[in-house]
Amino acid sequence: MVEIKTDAALDAMRVAGRVVADALAAVRAAAAPGVRLTELDEAARTVLHEAGATSPFLGYRPSFAPTPFPAVICASVNDAIVHGIPDGYRLRDGDLVSIDCGAVVDGWAGDAATSFTVGSEPPEDRRLKETTLRALEAGIAAAVVGARIGDIAHAIGSVGRAAGYGIPEDFGGHGIGRAMHEDPPVPNEGRPGRGFVLRHGLVIAIEPMFLAGGGDHYTADADGWTLRTTDGSRAAHFEHTVAVTDDGPRVLTLP
């Protein structure tokens, strides 16, 4: 069931969104060659703790997962698309890192993701990141009252396909509120004019993820969580929590 939020709820979700933004900024600041992924998770944990927030990621276990998620961020490196578990891997110069983070404050959730390169940045990675971010911006621009979920999906997918990137099927955005994952689903590709009609007070997480190669992917056997590209190509992932309002899209996870 799709839940429409009150204006007061949107303001409360903005509080959680700021915490997410702060956590992502702390992770980005901590990232450098030689730093372990677990250290990035600790940086995010510190921000959440100091803000009095909890993590919707920690202990989360959807039906596909063999174990509860053990961290407060997803840390996906190079060919990992999403859901990477922070471990002892030490970052290297040129790594393409995607970080997804959530926070819950007073019962309301926020969710956002960013991608960045550690140290030297290959031009092809810069293009992949810039295109994925542009797709996020296109999806946000389409999140207006009276439009449909398919309009957002089409806006995102059109940017990715025009650039020649792969788009993993069955992975995309979602509604968000009291729970991290709510209805409606927000695909990263679709037909315009289809799906749920957007109303003032609808809150969704819009999150394009593009692959430099094809769209095929698999879940790593090692942890049962990490989604990786089949061809070994790199991936980028950006996300914001966005409220549909009569005044236009309101991004709740900006700094």
Side-chain angles (χ1 to χ4, degrees):
M1 183 178 70
V2 176
E3 179 188 3
I4 301 301
K5 279 70 176 179
T6 65
D7 289 345
L10 299 186
D11 290 340
M13 293 187 71
R14 175 65 177 129
V15 175
R18 285 196 184 95
V19 175
V20 174
D22 290 345
L24 289 176
V27 169
R28 180 67 186 90
V35 173
R36 296 181 185 272
L37 295 182
T38 50
E39 294 177 78
L40 301 186
D41 187 66
E42 284 299 326
R45 285 176 189 251
T46 297
V47 172
L48 267 60
H49 175 73
E50 292 180 349
T54 58
S55 170
F57 289 17
L58 185 63
Y60 179 62
R61 188 178 185 181
S63 59
F64 69 81
T67 57
F69 197 77
V72 304
I73 63 169
C74 296
S76 306
V77 182
N78 296 330
D79 66 323
I81 307 167
V82 288
H83 301 163
I85 295 177
D87 57 16
Y89 175 83
R90 291 186 182 273
L91 294 172
R92 302 171 184 172
D93 184 71
D95 277 345
L96 176 54
V97 183
S98 296
I99 301 293
D100 194 350
C101 184
V104 176
V105 179
D106 293 331
W108 294 103
D111 187 11
T114 189
S115 293
F116 57 84
T117 303
V118 178
S120 306
E121 182 177 55
E124 57 271 24
D125 285 356
R126 182 182 304 113
R127 177 176 178 266
L128 175 61
K129 290 187 302 180
E130 290 176 348
T131 303
T132 311
L133 181 57
R134 185 155 45 87
L136 173 59
E137 293 167 348
I140 293 172
V144 296
V145 171
R148 293 178 178 267
I149 289 293
D151 298 322
I152 298 174
H154 178 72
I156 293 170
S158 295
V159 173
R161 294 301 182 190
Y165 292 135
I167 302 175
E169 293 185 7
D170 301 324
F171 289 87
H174 48 87
I176 182 171
R178 289 286 186 183
M180 181 171 61
H181 291 127
E182 298 182 352
D183 288 330
V186 185
N188 286 327
E189 196 166 25
R191 297 177 63 182
R194 301 293 183 91
F196 186 82
V197 178
L198 309 185
R199 297 165 49 192
H200 177 91
L202 175 70
V203 185
I204 51 178
I206 301 175
E207 52 177 321
M209 49 197 80
F210 292 164
L211 319 183
D216 292 340
H217 52 82
Y218 68 97
T219 300
D221 290 336
D223 59 31
W225 274 97
T226 307
L227 194 72
R228 296 188 178 275
T229 63
T230 301
D231 59 9
S233 62
R234 295 190 171 201
H237 174 213
F238 286 91
E239 176 184 18
H240 270 308
T241 295
V242 181
V244 177
T245 80
D246 291 330
D247 296 322
R250 181 184 179 188
V251 182
L252 302 178
T253 42
L254 288 173

